[in-house]
Amino acid sequence: MHRRTALSVSAALLVAAPLLTACAGEARPGTAAVVGGERIATSALQAQVKDVRAAQDRSPQAAQLIGASAGLERAKLNSMIQSLVLRKAAADAGLTVSTKEIEDARKADVQRTGGEKQFQDMVLQQASIAPGQIDDAIRDRLIVSKLTDKYGQDKIIEPIAAAAKALGVEVNPRYGSWDAARIQLTGGKTPWILQKTTPQTAPQGA
């Protein structure tokens, strides 16, 4: 399994993309981004943020976790966009990730970290991922791993960049702008593929 890839880059193609902006140039209310015609609603983004904050609130280190994730809303939108891009890249490459693969990967992570609670705590602390978001994060990690196996670590950027270009990414200016070269929202501090592999960064093995 590929961990900590050095890349710094941060689903079939859909049609009839709704516009983020109206004729006057103002952002359409309720839309955080549009990726390949798929609208990411502000309410969906806020739901992800709410789930993370709720999990953080339950932690004994709540204040520390919340303080360390001040840019959570943008980070979550970044992740949501990149997940759609990864699905497109996987589809283009003829790659799939099964439910069983996700389950097996999660079991292995849980075993290496000493239990389900320890694993959930680690992922929440390292990547601001709520328990209900873990399987999606593992799916993305597995896609990255399969793309790396297929194209090589030095070439993985090419199919991902092509997928992002084919989909097209429009972002509500409220959340920043899309960096096509790095394949991520501007203002991010952590290379996005590192975020996609975070559930395996602490435990070793496999």
Side-chain angles (χ1 to χ4, degrees):
M1 187 69 66
H2 299 272
R3 306 182 189 86
R4 292 188 178 277
T5 163
L7 294 175
S8 62
V9 301
S10 298
L13 183 62
L14 302 177
V15 295
L19 297 176
L20 275 173
T21 56
C23 295
E26 297 180 355
R28 171 182 289 191
T31 299
V34 176
V35 183
E38 182 167 343
R39 175 175 173 266
I40 298 177
T42 304
S43 58
L45 171 61
Q46 291 174 343
Q48 288 221 2
V49 172
K50 182 179 179 181
D51 287 346
V52 172
R53 291 302 187 210
Q56 291 174 333
D57 283 339
R58 294 192 295 269
S59 170
Q61 292 82 37
Q64 180 180 355
L65 292 175
I66 293 172
S69 57
L72 181 60
E73 190 172 35
R74 182 185 294 192
K76 280 298 170 187
L77 179 58
N78 198 50
S79 181
M80 293 170 80
I81 293 171
Q82 290 161 354
S83 289
L84 293 173
V85 172
L86 282 175
R87 280 186 235 169
K88 168 65 174 168
D92 289 346
L95 301 173
T96 60
V97 173
S98 68
T99 299
K100 186 178 187 304
E101 286 178 303
I102 295 172
E103 292 173 347
D104 288 346
R106 181 163 183 164
K107 287 177 182 177
D109 289 340
V110 167
Q111 184 176 11
R112 280 192 295 272
T113 52
E116 180 67 32
K117 184 180 185 304
Q118 290 87 339
F119 176 58
Q120 290 185 9
D121 289 347
M122 182 197 75
V123 174
L124 180 65
Q125 180 179 0
Q126 293 188 359
S128 297
I129 295 173
Q133 300 166 359
I134 290 176
D135 284 354
D136 284 340
I138 291 175
R139 177 206 60 205
D140 290 347
R141 189 187 78 203
L142 292 175
I143 290 175
V144 169
S145 178
K146 290 189 176 190
L147 288 171
T148 304
D149 288 341
K150 184 176 179 70
Y151 296 104
Q153 184 168 307
D154 294 338
K155 299 292 186 181
I156 187 177
I157 178 59
E158 296 176 11
I160 296 174
K165 182 178 180 180
L167 287 171
V169 178
E170 298 178 80
V171 178
N172 189 318
R174 169 184 174 185
Y175 302 103
S177 60
W178 180 250
D179 188 328
R182 300 176 65 195
I183 315 180
Q184 66 180 33
L185 288 175
T186 56
K189 296 181 180 180
T190 305
W192 75 276
I193 286 186
L194 293 184
Q195 294 176 333
K196 294 299 179 187
T197 59
T198 293
Q200 278 197 331
T201 57
Q204 300 296 317

